[in-house]
DNA sequence: AAGTGGTCTAGACCACAAA
DNA sequence: TTGTGGTCTAGACCACTTT
């Protein structure tokens, strides 16, 4: 095939979407739809290149974008794999608790409650779902050693995690790996708004602190590979023992 | 030149550092040392390729890494430029204030004090400077409309910003563009620790709120292109009107 | 030894911006 | 029209992992 674009047509040129971007989207869609599941190995770059009728370099660039988005992981000599949202990864990515000025901290689950209910109008709007959406509401308290660390209230649309309530054992430490394993939903982005508030009676009781103590309140919207809202979450953190840590680049 | 590595030698292979990485480091160092200054255009990819005795593709990949680090900006048809830390960029990158659940907010400076003093042992340690380091201490209050928004205490080593105190007019809205323009220091990374605390008398007075009101306290370490610590900063934010916003990916 | 991703080169052509 | 970055291809070889 001569140099230049592989499938040059008028419509291609008008759309002006680079080939590697199209290929990347196709791959992302396949993964989103479960064609390749968590931890699974993708075909090698030359095979994919054949499938898409592009050069290996173009596939390579497409995979590079997926890798930077955290969708796949590539290991020299082994292959390209759909990222597995392990507990470790999920925690250190989306759970930003740390000792003041120091190391990140990994709390353990302590107690949890789950119920099914209708979403409010406001919640529906935030979730981007219309009408009578049903949601699971999970309230969970976490501990670090002897100390209560956080109280989280999570809201998940039932159609995303249909079997959540029938779960007999305790919920897993981190929910995102569970979403991925069970429902193929990959949490890749979270938007957070952080405020300082005084602990309500309920929060104070859960965290075993005096009511009125200042705590961090983090409001999160979690998004999947296609940027759909997967979860709403409001967490209260003890701030005397722990900080919220983030790196800006 | 035949395909394969351009300058294969035994030592190269032992070091095992990709060419594009070496080229990237060289370019970063040049920019750090002021060889190309803020806003300046770099030579085009082919010229750089000649200078470094590598192919254009290798230079291209190196520039790609610099771009993703925020060191350069590339514009099709125009060229590759050293990133200018404009007020806009600096603010929306490193100043994470937002309306609760909504749009980012850009506060204006209200008042400021600056003095020169010795750094404490602890500060020296955090700054990574030894002995009797002198620092500028700046305290600045910011407003959004009618409301006080934040009180920041900044610490900058004098040797990084030698002429800071002699500045007669008010400090610029954002300091990082000023650091870059005046001293060639490019702030690229900030590590932040966020806590909820009750406002001290001093903070309450500055923010015009009741003492004891919960406020966000953000402790920042700012790093430059070579990851040196450029600034320490502790900020208190009103949290009833504003939130700290961040996206995790 | 075989298979995978990683690096590097060389060259053609496209898209955009400014003269 | 010229010069810049952006895309795409083709092919060689390197480095790592597993068989």
């Amino acid at each position: 095939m001569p140099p230049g674009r592989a499938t040059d047509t008028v419509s291609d040129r008008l759309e002006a979407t680079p080939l590697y971007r199209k290929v990347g989207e196709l791959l992302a869609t396949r993964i989103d739809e479960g064609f390749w599941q968590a931890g699974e190995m993708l075909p090698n770059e030359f095979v994919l290149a054949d499938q898409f009728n592009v050069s290996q370099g173009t596939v390579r660039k497409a995979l590079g974008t997926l890798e930077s988005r955290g969708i796949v992981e590539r290991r020299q000599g082994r292959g390209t794999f759909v990222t597995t949202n392990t507990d470790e990864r999920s925690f250190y990515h989306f759970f930003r608790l740390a000792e003041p000025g120091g190391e990140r901290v990994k709390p353990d689950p302590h107690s949890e409650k789950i119920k099914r209910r209708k979403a409010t109008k406001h919640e529906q709007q935030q979730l981007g779902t219309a009408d009578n959406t049903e949601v699971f509401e999970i309230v969970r308290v976490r501990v670090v050693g002897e100390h209560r660390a956080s109280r989280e209230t999570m809201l998940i649309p039932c159609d995303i995690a249909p079997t959540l309530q029938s779960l007999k054992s305790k919920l897993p430490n981190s929910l995102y790996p569970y979403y991925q394993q069970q429902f193929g939903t990959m949490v890749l982005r979270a938007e957070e708004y952080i405020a300082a508030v005084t602990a309500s009676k309920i929060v104070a009781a859960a965290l075993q602190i005096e009511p009125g103590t200042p705590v961090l309140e983090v409001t999160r919207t979690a998004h999947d590979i296609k940027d759909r809202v997967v979860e709403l979450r409001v967490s209260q953190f003890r701030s005397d023992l722990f900080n919220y840590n983030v790196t800006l680049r």
Side-chain angles (χ1 to χ4, degrees), chain A residues 39-63:
Chain A
E40 199 169 333
M41 180 179 161
L42 271 58
N44 78 46
E45 296 174 348
F46 288 94
V47 172
L48 289 173
D50 272 357
Q51 284 183 22
F52 292 119
N53 269 301
V54 299
S55 75
Q56 174 257 3
T58 299
V59 167
R60 186 163 179 72
K61 186 155 186 179
L63 287 173

Side-chain angles (χ1 to χ4, degrees), chain A residues 16 25 42 56 121 125-127 146 153 159 191 222 232:
Chain A
E25 273 313 301
L42 271 58
Q56 174 257 3
K121 280 269 163 64
Q125 198 178 11
Q126 285 190 291
L127 288 168
E146 300 295 305
T153 306
D159 58 338
E191 192 77 17
L232 300 177

Side-chain angles (χ1 to χ4, degrees), chain A residues 113-131:
Chain A
K113 278 182 202 166
I114 179 168
K115 67 178 179 185
R116 189 188 179 112
R117 65 169 173 82
K118 273 194 180 179
T120 66
K121 280 269 163 64
H122 182 243
E123 288 163 356
Q124 282 173 27
Q125 198 178 11
Q126 285 190 291
L127 288 168
T129 58
D131 303 48

